[in-house]
Amino acid sequence: MDGIRKRSATLFNIHNLYSNDLLYLVCDLCDIYNYADDNTICVNANKTENVLLDIELVSNVLMNWFKENVLQANPEKFQFILFSKTKLENSKVVDNVSLMPQPSVKLLGIHIDHALTFNEHISTTCKNVGRRLNALVRLSNILNEREKYVLFECFITSYFNSCPTV
């Protein structure tokens, strides 16, 4: 088992070293957040048109880097969200793939919507907790108080502790 962990860690480190220059390439153009194999770019501007232009510029730089390094990105898996009070209907083209801004995206397990209301995240969390509570109620006749508490802490409380600021 340890041999597998060491190889996995080595591969992860090689990936980080190999893609490290990618982060430096765009650091002056946008904010970039990197977590494991998930990269998120963020651009800010006063006007929607400028945000869209910046997204397009950064996307083109990134796609060119992938091509120059003989790597392949999958723009069909890209997510694009514009934080605004109104929904945007304009699409952007990245590497010949048309990207429509999404009303919400899931980022590291949190559903974020364009108006930052977190309604979808709250709704999803409540549905998941409700299902788990229902299962706990069905098991309540065969569990003692300690077992119920442990299951509650593991399967219910963890949903609310995963993102306490929301």
Side-chain angles (χ1 to χ4, degrees), residues 2-158:
D2 286 333
I4 293 172
R5 283 192 190 126
K6 287 179 185 173
R7 279 192 290 274
S8 297
T10 302
L11 288 173
F12 181 76
N13 290 336
I14 288 171
H15 172 264
N16 277 346
L17 288 173
Y18 188 66
S19 64
N20 195 37
D21 64 325
L22 172 65
L23 304 178
Y24 289 116
L25 190 63
V26 295
C27 69
D28 292 335
L29 303 173
C30 66
D31 294 323
I32 187 159
Y33 305 95
N34 178 268
Y35 183 79
D37 66 346
D38 183 22
N39 297 297
T40 301
I41 60 171
C42 179
V43 297
N44 300 299
N46 292 332
K47 295 183 178 181
T48 302
E49 300 81 28
N50 294 345
V51 169
L52 295 174
L53 288 172
D54 288 349
I55 286 279
E56 189 170 10
L57 171 69
V58 172
S59 299
N60 286 329
V61 168
L62 294 172
M63 295 308 292
N64 286 335
W65 181 89
F66 276 97
K67 288 175 187 166
E68 289 172 4
N69 288 279
V70 195
L71 295 171
Q72 185 174 0
N74 187 356
E76 292 177 3
K77 290 190 175 186
F78 291 178
Q79 297 181 35
F80 165 41
I81 188 167
L82 180 72
F83 297 110
S84 149
K85 292 180 182 177
T86 58
K87 265 178 63 175
L88 181 70
E89 301 297 331
N90 300 346
S91 66
K92 289 310 299 167
V93 176
V94 174
D95 205 39
N96 297 323
V97 175
S98 179
L99 300 176
M100 287 298 295
Q102 302 298 311
S104 72
V105 296
K106 188 174 180 183
L107 183 62
L108 299 176
I110 299 172
H111 297 272
I112 303 172
D113 62 279
H114 70 93
L116 295 175
T117 65
F118 293 97
N119 290 338
E120 184 177 353
H121 182 72
I122 292 167
S123 176
T124 302
T125 300
C126 288
K127 286 177 190 173
N128 288 331
V129 167
R131 282 194 292 268
R132 291 171 191 275
L133 273 174
N134 193 7
L136 190 56
V137 167
R138 288 193 312 267
L139 293 171
S140 66
N141 294 337
I142 61 172
L143 300 173
N144 65 37
E145 291 301 312
R146 175 76 181 135
E147 292 166 334
K148 290 177 194 175
Y149 179 77
V150 168
L151 288 175
F152 180 81
E153 285 294 317
C154 292
F155 297 113
I156 309 301
T157 310
S158 63

